[in-house]
Amino acid sequence: MAIAVFKVLGMDCVEEVATLRGALAPFAGVRDLSFDVLNGKMTVEYSDADVNVPELIAAVGKAGLKAVPWQEFQQSAQVTGWTRWGRTAMTTASGLLLSAGVLTHVVLSGWRAVIAGQESQPTPIVARLFYFGAIVCGAWYVAPKAWGALVRLRPDMNLLMTLAVAGAIVIGEFLEAATVAFLFALSITLEAWSVGRARRAIAALLALTPTKAHVLKIATPPGERSSPARSEDIASDQAREMEVADVPLGSTVLVKPGQKFPLDGKITKGETTVNQAPITGESMPVPKTVGSDVFAGTVNEDGTVEFLTTRRASETTVARIVQMVGEAQSKRSPSEQWVEKFARYYTPAVMALALAVMVFPPLVWDGAWSKWFYEGLVLLVIACPCALVISTPVSIVAALASAAREGVLIKGGLYVEAPAHLRAIALDKTGTLTEGRPTVSEVVPLAGHDQNELVQIAAAIEMRSEHPLARAVVTYANSLGARYQSVDDFKAIKGKGATAVLNGTPVWIGSHRYLEERGQDTPEMHDKLESWSSAGSSAIVIGNDEHVCGLIAVADRVRTNARESVAQIKAAGIEHVVMLTGDNRGTAEAVGRATGVDEIRSELLPEEKVKAVEQLVNRYQRVAMVGDGVNDAPAMARATLGIAMGVAGTDVAIETADIALMSDDLSRIAWLIRHSRRTLAIIRQNIVASLGVKLVFVILTLLGHGSLWAAIAADTGMSLLVVFNALRLLRPARAS
């Protein structure tokens, strides 16, 4: 099995995607096709034993498009001027020639003859030449696709327009044929422009990243011997300027106030505040100190810092956002799927109806052949599904681009509409409703142990764990200058704690629940742990087989905007907000009261969280699970929609969730719901308007009152309307 990636020149809309599917799907060796409309990219998974790359390129050519292997396209000098501006140039030429033809026609025959159709003489030769020129230029990009559709017996809007133009020429309506050709070319050009605008909105994120980096220490790539130039620090005023793409992983880079970070990394020296709006959508600068993560494209506000690069230029958070939004185009929304299926049956049905309009009135009711042939052409034009077909993908592309600029990464059109239908939301506690950075608030040594000894025992075990409570204990131990002892036979107990061997003695660490399971609880300890729980603190118990060594209280602060964000979620129309946590009941209830959630479910193991989400789905049907994207992955997978929060720079979280909130801002969830509903409303407006206009003209045509120029004007006008209506999504929504 092989994979080939192509740049398809001129692929700007979903109609062309359908054309390419029709051209390549019949090949026996083609296993899968995916498309990135934003970048004009097509990926083909195929069996090289059955088909080869030249055959695939030839098939694309027969469909009226041109495919170039992606690598060759990137390595080529540059996109030619004709490739970039050819469509616009031909559309402009068609419009100018049409104008010249009309002007000449009016001068030679009078305006009544041209506008009102009261012409007794044939169209003047000079005017015809101008009209033919307008037709050729207007159909330049349409005719090859129409021929491909005819050969494959898969009628599309290109074939409909070409037949309408040809029919108008046959009956001598040269002005209307040229008008149809120009206006259709104009609508396709505008569609390409609208997709291009959304493409530029996404690419603008990548453009935020500097092209140069000031490197203080160049890391030595694996396999190379270090040299003084690579291994020695350089004075800040002698930092080496390098292309960002050439900076090795692990290099030290200098960033001064006002400059942008060129790569992702961790600060190693200095303190500052950083404007992270391009990545996370956060409006306020974020303080950064040694050890803090920084992201390419963000702005260093007020301090000179040095940072260690942790990602290459092609792997930065910005680069991955751009890549994933592009890939999102292959995940079509329900509306897109409906429109595509509708158009598949609609187009041939309309062609059959147009043929019936041309034939039946003259045969059955003695109508004039010329009149009803003309009315059939009108029906072909107005029936063209152009506005309908482009209405949804342009809306989806604009919605994806707008969300990315707000720090919300939506993984495809499939998930753009989902938030609009949510009825319930499950929120993880740690890192979602709380800051996710718990700190030690109290230490109670028991059985003859002192505070430092107890903390050292706990930290020695917890160093092996990635749980937030474990990190809090280790951080606290570091602040006391604790010396760690090595542990053996570390074993994590899922959802309960861990065991290890310290200096030959088995020790354990865990929750109050685990203490009770071991049967080592006492009334005094029970009361103490329950009081901590009631106050919202989590309890860590340390012990061995003989006695309990001590207790440690860890508290995680509720986010300052958590209560307001939960209220906004409810105001957005969510019926039920539930908090799911593995923490104890007392802590959960304290956080629940502080945030205003409707329901609290505590002391849940990972599999119990999944069951809780299943119950919500059974009750409310459409449920979102919001968590960190890693520990909550099973529950996210079971929910209708998985939303990962605060995952800028976190590969696993971005890959796990359907939607990733790049910042720790819980209010983005309410924004996401409103954005989804706004997108869905615009899609519905476009579909209803497109079908409504067509219905009106179909009725007029069947009554014998249709007009070819009015039909194409209405169709093109509707295409313009749906495009500009969809592009409203690129503008920030008004605060509600």
Side-chain angles (χ1 to χ4, degrees):
M1 193 63 64
I3 295 177
V5 183
F6 300 94
K7 169 69 176 181
V8 182
L9 303 178
M11 185 177 75
D12 295 305
C13 75
V14 73
E15 180 71 15
E16 283 145 3
V17 169
T19 297
L20 289 168
R21 287 188 187 278
L24 298 179
F27 281 89
V30 174
R31 299 288 184 267
D32 187 48
L33 294 168
S34 61
F35 300 89
D36 174 3
V37 177
L38 278 179
N39 296 305
K41 184 189 292 187
M42 175 179 70
T43 303
V44 184
E45 184 179 336
Y46 65 99
S47 168
D48 49 12
D50 299 317
V51 67
N52 54 44
V53 169
E55 288 176 323
L56 295 173
I57 293 175
V60 172
K62 290 179 181 178
L65 295 163
K66 182 180 179 181
V68 180
W70 187 258
Q71 189 172 5
E72 291 181 18
F73 174 76
Q74 290 185 311
Q75 292 173 349
S76 62
Q78 282 185 354
V79 176
T80 63
W82 180 255
T83 300
R84 181 175 296 174
W85 301 108
R87 189 192 299 272
T88 302
M90 294 304 283
T91 302
T92 303
S94 179
L96 292 174
L97 288 168
L98 174 61
S99 300
V102 171
L103 182 61
T104 303
H105 201 167
V106 168
V107 169
L108 296 178
S109 302
W111 70 269
R112 289 182 181 276
V114 177
I115 304 301
Q118 300 173 358
E119 190 172 16
S120 57
Q121 300 295 323
T123 303
I125 296 296
V126 178
R128 287 191 193 185
L129 291 175
F130 281 124
Y131 290 149
F132 273 121
I135 292 168
V136 170
C137 292
W140 190 265
Y141 286 92
V142 177
K145 298 174 186 176
W147 175 253
L150 182 62
V151 169
R152 298 191 313 275
L153 298 178
R154 292 174 62 93
D156 61 10
M157 60 187 182
N158 298 294
L159 181 58
L160 284 179
M161 287 298 99
T162 303
L163 291 176
V165 170
I169 293 173
V170 168
I171 63 175
E173 297 289 348
F174 301 104
L175 168 58
E176 298 195 9
T179 303
V180 170
F182 164 66
L183 290 177
F184 185 65
L186 178 63
S187 68
I188 298 300
T189 301
L190 287 170
E191 181 186 356
W193 169 81
S194 68
V195 173
R197 181 176 171 186
R199 180 187 298 136
R200 289 190 293 274
I202 289 295
L205 288 173
L206 196 57
L208 293 172
T209 307
T211 57
K212 305 282 188 180
H214 296 89
V215 183
L216 293 175
K217 184 176 180 181
I218 305 173
T220 304
E224 287 189 19
R225 296 179 61 184
S226 63
S227 64
R230 289 186 178 275
S231 60
E232 296 178 2
D233 289 337
I234 304 170
S236 62
D237 59 349
Q238 297 177 355
R240 178 180 302 181
E241 187 175 79
M242 296 179 62
E243 292 288 337
V244 170
D246 297 332
V247 178
L249 208 62
S251 299
T252 301
V253 179
L254 175 74
V255 182
K256 296 179 180 180
Q259 294 180 342
K260 295 178 180 177
F261 287 89
L263 293 159
D264 288 6
K266 285 185 179 293
I267 291 181
T268 55
K269 184 178 180 180
E271 295 183 359
T272 187
T273 55
V274 176
N275 181 353
Q276 297 188 156
I279 304 297
T280 65
E282 294 167 290
S283 57
M284 298 298 293
V286 179
K288 299 286 184 178
T289 59
V290 173
S292 298
D293 292 322
V294 290
F295 309 108
T298 58
V299 182
N300 182 20
E301 296 267 316
D302 52 21
T304 298
V305 296
E306 298 175 13
F307 75 95
L308 194 72
T309 61
T310 55
R311 285 191 176 87
R312 296 179 176 84
S314 60
E315 300 169 346
T316 63
T317 301
V318 171
R320 285 184 293 122
I321 289 174
V322 174
Q323 177 188 357
M324 295 187 74
V325 172
E327 292 172 350
Q329 296 309 297
S330 63
K331 299 175 182 177
R332 293 172 296 165
S333 70
S335 294
E336 286 180 287
Q337 295 174 37
W338 179 86
V339 167
E340 183 177 322
K341 184 176 181 181
F342 178 83
R344 190 183 307 140
Y345 297 101
Y346 168 84
T347 302
V350 163
M351 291 186 70
L353 180 60
L355 182 62
V357 167
M358 292 177 183
V359 173
F360 277 97
L363 289 179
V364 178
W365 299 298
D366 253 349
W369 283 95
S370 59
K371 172 180 172 55
W372 288 103
F373 185 82
Y374 178 85
E375 297 294 347
L377 294 180
V378 172
L379 190 57
L380 280 180
V381 171
I382 195 57
C384 172
C386 186
L388 177 65
V389 167
I390 69 175
S391 62
T392 304
V394 173
S395 301
I396 295 298
V397 169
L400 291 171
S402 177
R405 289 193 310 206
E406 293 287 336
V408 179
L409 179 57
I410 303 176
K411 304 285 279 295
L414 183 63
Y415 309 114
V416 170
E417 297 181 26
H421 302 294
L422 292 175
R423 295 179 57 200
I425 290 182
L427 300 168
D428 180 44
K429 179 182 75 70
T430 305
T432 301
L433 288 169
T434 64
E435 293 180 352
R437 294 186 294 273
T439 56
V440 173
S441 57
E442 188 176 350
V443 178
V444 179
L446 300 171
H449 297 276
D450 61 30
Q451 177 174 321
N452 286 340
E453 183 183 5
L454 178 64
V455 171
Q456 286 178 6
I457 295 172
I461 304 173
E462 296 287 41
M463 282 190 70
R464 302 289 189 92
S465 174
E466 289 298 318
H467 194 280
L469 297 183
R471 290 197 294 269
V473 171
V474 173
T475 300
Y476 183 71
N478 290 338
S479 69
L480 297 178
R483 295 181 179 180
Y484 298 107
Q485 303 177 48
S486 61
V487 298
D488 300 311
D489 296 334
F490 174 86
K491 294 179 182 178
I493 305 173
K494 197 172 184 180
K496 298 177 182 179
T499 62
V501 176
L502 182 64
N503 294 329
T505 302
V507 292
W508 57 267
I509 190 167
S511 62
H512 186 191
R513 179 179 176 181
Y514 185 53
L515 172 69
E516 291 176 331
E517 286 183 9
R518 292 183 62 89
Q520 293 180 267
D521 198 10
T522 66
E524 294 79 10
M525 280 191 284
H526 182 85
D527 292 342
K528 183 65 174 177
L529 295 174
E530 286 298 316
S531 68
W532 281 353
S533 296
S534 300
S537 295
S538 296
I540 297 176
V541 186
I542 304 96
N544 54 39
D545 292 339
E546 297 178 359
H547 60 257
V548 174
C549 303
L551 316 172
I552 297 177
V554 178
D556 185 7
R557 290 186 299 178
V558 174
R559 293 184 184 277
T560 54
N561 69 337
R563 189 173 190 87
E564 180 185 357
S565 298
V566 170
Q568 290 175 352
I569 290 171
K570 294 179 181 178
I574 300 301
E575 299 175 27
H576 195 73
V577 180
V578 57
M579 181 181 74
L580 306 180
T581 179
D583 217 332
N584 63 73
R585 183 70 186 175
T587 301
E589 288 182 345
V591 173
R593 287 193 300 269
T595 56
V597 298
D598 299 314
E599 183 183 357
I600 301 163
R601 300 194 186 187
S602 59
E603 301 181 1
L604 299 175
L605 297 174
E607 56 268 24
E608 292 173 331
K609 279 190 179 182
V610 174
K611 291 180 180 178
V613 170
E614 286 177 347
Q615 292 171 1
L616 289 170
V617 170
N618 291 335
R619 181 177 175 186
Y620 293 101
Q621 287 76 54
R622 297 180 179 91
V623 178
M625 174 66 195
V626 184
D628 61 13
V630 182
N631 299 329
D632 299 309
M636 284 182 177
R638 182 62 188 89
T640 311
L641 189 69
I643 303 175
M645 184 173 165
V647 297
T650 308
D651 297 313
V652 176
I654 290 178
E655 293 296 331
T656 300
D658 303 319
I659 296 175
L661 309 184
M662 307 307 289
S663 71
D664 283 335
D665 188 358
L666 195 62
S667 68
R668 294 288 85 189
I669 298 175
W671 179 91
L672 173 65
I673 294 169
R674 293 194 300 270
H675 180 62
S676 176
R677 288 177 179 164
R678 184 181 176 215
T679 301
L680 197 56
I682 285 177
I683 289 172
R684 287 170 176 168
Q685 290 166 11
N686 288 344
I687 291 175
V688 170
S690 300
L691 292 177
V693 168
K694 293 185 185 305
L695 180 61
V696 169
F697 270 83
V698 167
I699 293 173
L700 288 175
T701 301
L702 294 177
L703 295 175
H705 300 299
S707 168
L708 197 58
W709 68 265
I712 187 60
D715 186 68
T716 303
M718 186 51 59
S719 296
L720 282 170
L721 181 63
V722 299
V723 163
F724 286 116
N725 192 37
L727 290 179
R728 289 194 298 123
L729 289 165
L730 289 175
R731 300 199 305 267
R734 294 178 182 176
S736 59

